[in-house]
Amino acid sequence: MGQTNRRTSAWPALAVVLAVSFSALQPAVAADSLAMEREQLAALARQLDLIDRLAEHAAHTAPQERARYHFDYARLRADLKRVRAGLQDYLVPQRAQPRDPVPMAGDYVRRDRAHDEEPSP
């Protein structure tokens, strides 16, 4: 019976030791989490660079004949540039003030107005 009393009296001390140990680890875990987020955002920025190069190549190799609808590569590349700038601002902040967000276009289909006009009778 004396053995069980000694074990139960050790539980509060063990709980305190574990709580202190876990609280000491929390900043390290948070730092690892922030480092992982920065790595992921940097990888995302590299992928955006790749997408931008692919879009530039596709724009140069796209058919030149005029169709009623065609993909607006310039608008896509402008939005990619804006997203990349936002990532860069977060990864390497240059100022403390918030900036005005610029809305993204989101619509990448361009209509050729010449095909819309019908000849007058």
Side-chain angles (χ1 to χ4, degrees):
M1 194 154 182
Q3 191 73 355
T4 54
N5 282 343
R6 197 175 305 159
R7 283 187 187 155
T8 46
S9 66
W11 284 110
L14 180 59
V16 170
V17 168
L18 288 175
V20 170
S21 298
F22 287 139
S23 66
L25 289 176
Q26 193 171 10
V29 171
D32 288 346
S33 175
L34 289 174
M36 186 184 311
E37 179 190 34
R38 292 182 71 75
E39 286 177 25
Q40 290 174 343
L41 290 175
L44 183 59
R46 289 189 301 273
Q47 291 170 351
L48 287 172
D49 289 339
L50 176 61
I51 293 169
D52 188 39
R53 287 193 301 270
L54 289 170
E56 180 181 22
H57 178 70
H60 290 301
T61 59
Q64 296 301 316
E65 67 267 2
R66 291 316 239 169
R68 184 170 182 180
Y69 296 103
H70 57 279
F71 194 82
D72 193 347
Y73 290 101
R75 216 181 250 184
L76 171 66
R77 294 190 69 213
D79 283 348
L80 289 171
K81 182 179 179 182
R82 193 169 298 130
V83 172
R84 192 171 36 251
L87 284 172
Q88 192 62 30
D89 285 349
Y90 178 79
L91 291 172
V92 184
Q94 296 179 1
R95 57 186 173 184
Q97 305 92 346
R99 59 185 171 84
D100 293 331
V102 179
M104 295 181 72
D107 182 14
Y108 306 111
V109 176
R110 212 167 54 177
R111 178 177 279 185
D112 190 0
R113 300 287 182 220
H115 288 283
D116 288 344
E117 297 174 6
E118 294 183 15
S120 302

